[in-house]
Structure formats: C-alpha cells, structure tokens
Amino acid sequence: VFIPFAVGGGVRSLQQMQSVLLAGAEKVSLNSPAVREPQLLAEGAAAFGRQCIVLGMDVKRDPVMPSGYRVYIDGLRTATDLDALEWAERAVGLGAGEVVLNAIDTDGTLSGYELTVTRLLADRLPVPVVASGGAGRVEHIAEVLTEGHAAAALIASIVHYGTCTVPEIKEHLAERGVPVRTD
C-alpha cells in the first residue's frame, strides 16, 4: 500500500506501537487503551513524536455532559464518565497529535456527519480533527470539511456500496472550493 495509514485496535503498549510503526504504519491510533491508561499517549509521543499518536474517540450525544457528548469505549459497549471535549483536550495535552472522532449518533446512518461535536473539537483543539461516521453523499463530506471545520473525513459506505468513486468525491470537493490532492 503506497498511502500513509494508521493502525489501531489492540495496541496497548509502547512495544506494540513500535512494532506497528516498524511494520510500515505512519501512525498508531489509541482509543480504549488510552482511556484506561492515558499515559500511553505521553509515552508514545515521547518515543515516536506526537505526529505518530492518534486519539480515536467514539462519542454519543448526552445532555448531562458539559460539552453535550460522552465518550464510549470497548467498541461502543461501555459508556465512560468522560466528557468528549475534556477528554480530547487532556489527550492532546498528553501527546495526541491528531483526533479521529467517530460520532455514534450518525455512524452508519448515511445521513451526514455530526457537525456540532466535530466543529466543537476542531475549533478548540490545536491538532487536526478527522471526522468519522455518517457520510452517505458527497455533499456530506464537503459539509464536514467546511461547516464542521474537520481537517479530514473518513469515508466507507459511499465508496464500498458504489455510490461514488474517490475521483468523483475529489472532483466534487474541488468544485466546492475544498482543497484536495489530485495525485
């Protein structure tokens, strides 16, 4: 594969991070292990540079939380007591150089990304926020990059189901004034 990629899932130690990076990944994504052992973020950033450490976050709307969003772990099975914004700010302070934000409320719906929480994190964090969860049309990608202020967006269903191709997505984004790589 000749594109940059991040590896996550099951990475629970500095040694595992090193193995993943030595195998060719450019970044390591930590979600549940980071919640359980936040120091992993700091250790990874100190050893490999913060550009290699990605915080993966699964969040769901919850009016009880200060930001309005609660963090979930264990593949969305376990609600935590963590507020999404507070946890993201703490994780970045520890060394996360990027945040991949999966909004549980919109994931798999094909109805668009969760713009409110995406914009909240993107506007408050000094690192890139990558939106995940909800793209059903090319317009949704443009919305999250412009209105949601995301630095990038993950896509799956619209490509997997043949709704559109990557070149079509890039063309549409370029037409809307969103900078895209054409190479």
Side-chain angles (χ1 to χ4, degrees), residues 88-113:
E89 289 175 330
R90 181 175 174 214
V92 168
L94 285 167
E98 183 175 312
V99 174
V100 173
L101 173 67
N102 180 48
I104 298 168
D105 297 303
T106 56
D107 194 18
T109 65
L110 307 179
S111 62
Y113 296 91

Side-chain angles (χ1 to χ4, degrees), residues 21 27 40 50 61 67 86 90-91 96 100 116 131 144 146 167:
L21 294 169
K27 300 178 183 202
L40 277 175
R50 69 182 310 124
R61 219 175 272 119
S67 70
E86 291 172 1
R90 181 175 174 214
V100 173
T116 303
V144 80
T146 57

Side-chain angles (χ1 to χ4, degrees), residues 23-68:
E26 291 198 0
K27 300 178 183 202
V28 176
S29 180
L30 302 170
N31 189 330
S32 301
V35 169
R36 288 190 174 91
E37 294 183 54
Q39 203 55 31
L40 277 175
L41 297 165
E43 292 171 5
F48 312 113
R50 69 182 310 124
Q51 79 285 348
C52 290
I53 307 302
V54 177
L55 174 68
M57 290 181 61
D58 295 311
V59 304
K60 184 175 174 70
R61 219 175 272 119
D62 186 335
V64 171
M65 303 308 286
S67 70

Side-chain angles (χ1 to χ4, degrees), residues 99-181:
V99 174
V100 173
L101 173 67
N102 180 48
I104 298 168
D105 297 303
T106 56
D107 194 18
T109 65
L110 307 179
S111 62
Y113 296 91
E114 215 297 356
L115 298 179
T116 303
V117 70
T118 304
R119 185 173 39 252
L120 175 67
L121 267 60
D123 288 351
R124 295 283 297 270
L125 299 176
V127 300
V129 173
V130 179
S132 176
R137 300 188 329 261
V138 153
E139 293 82 7
H140 295 148
I141 302 165
E143 287 171 357
V144 80
L145 296 173
T146 57
E147 297 171 41
H149 303 168
L154 295 179
I155 56 171
S157 297
I158 63 173
V159 174
H160 294 301
Y161 297 139
T163 306
C164 47
T165 66
V166 172
E168 289 170 341
I169 293 169
K170 287 183 173 191
E171 181 181 332
H172 176 80
L173 293 175
E175 287 171 359
R176 294 189 88 191
V178 177
V180 293
R181 287 194 328 225

